[in-house]
Amino acid sequence: MSMTLFCYLMMYCSGIVSLCLARKHIMLSLLSLEFIILSLFCIFSIIVTIMISESYMMLMFLTFSVCEGVVGLSILVMMIRSHGNDHLSSINLFLC
C-alpha cells in the first residue's frame, strides 16, 4: 500500500516538474496539469478507500477535474484560432 502511494507521489512530483519545464506551449502545460490531476485522483482514491467507505467525494473531484480540462481545451482552441499557434511568446499582454 505504501509503495503504490509512493509511486503516485512520484507521479505528482514529475507532473509538477514537467509543468515547470513546459511553459512555452499551452498544450504541454495542459497535459502536465491533467497528469497532476490523475495522480491526485489516485492518491485521493487510496485515502478514501482506507478511511471512508463512501466514494461520492471522488465523483465530485472527477467532475471538477473534467470541467478544468474542458475549460483548458476551450482556451487552447480559442487561442489557436486567434493567434495560429499555442506559443505563449506570441501573446502580447499589453493589448488586453
Side-chain angles (χ1 to χ4, degrees):
M1 180 64 82
S2 65
M3 187 63 175
T4 57
L5 189 61
F6 178 72
C7 289
Y8 291 142
L9 286 174
M10 288 303 293
M11 280 176 55
Y12 177 76
C13 290
S14 64
I16 294 289
V17 168
S18 67
L19 180 65
C20 291
L21 293 177
R23 58 181 183 217
K24 291 184 181 181
H25 295 280
I26 292 181
M27 185 65 187
L28 292 175
S29 299
L30 287 175
L31 283 173
S32 298
L33 282 174
E34 291 300 320
F35 190 68
I36 291 169
I37 293 294
L38 177 69
S39 65
L40 284 176
F41 178 72
C42 292
I43 292 170
F44 189 57
S45 67
I46 288 175
I47 291 173
V48 165
T49 55
I50 290 173
M51 302 219 176
I52 306 169
S53 62
E54 296 180 7
S55 60
Y56 294 115
M57 290 300 291
M58 287 183 4
L59 186 63
M60 287 182 61
F61 181 79
L62 198 58
T63 305
F64 283 122
S65 66
V66 167
C67 292
E68 177 260 336
V70 167
V71 168
L73 284 177
S74 65
I75 290 172
L76 178 72
V77 167
M78 225 170 39
M79 187 175 149
I80 288 176
R81 283 185 182 174
S82 65
H83 295 293
N85 57 14
D86 68 335
H87 296 290
L88 285 177
S89 61
S90 67
I91 298 174
N92 191 359
L93 294 177
F94 292 118
L95 295 176
C96 295

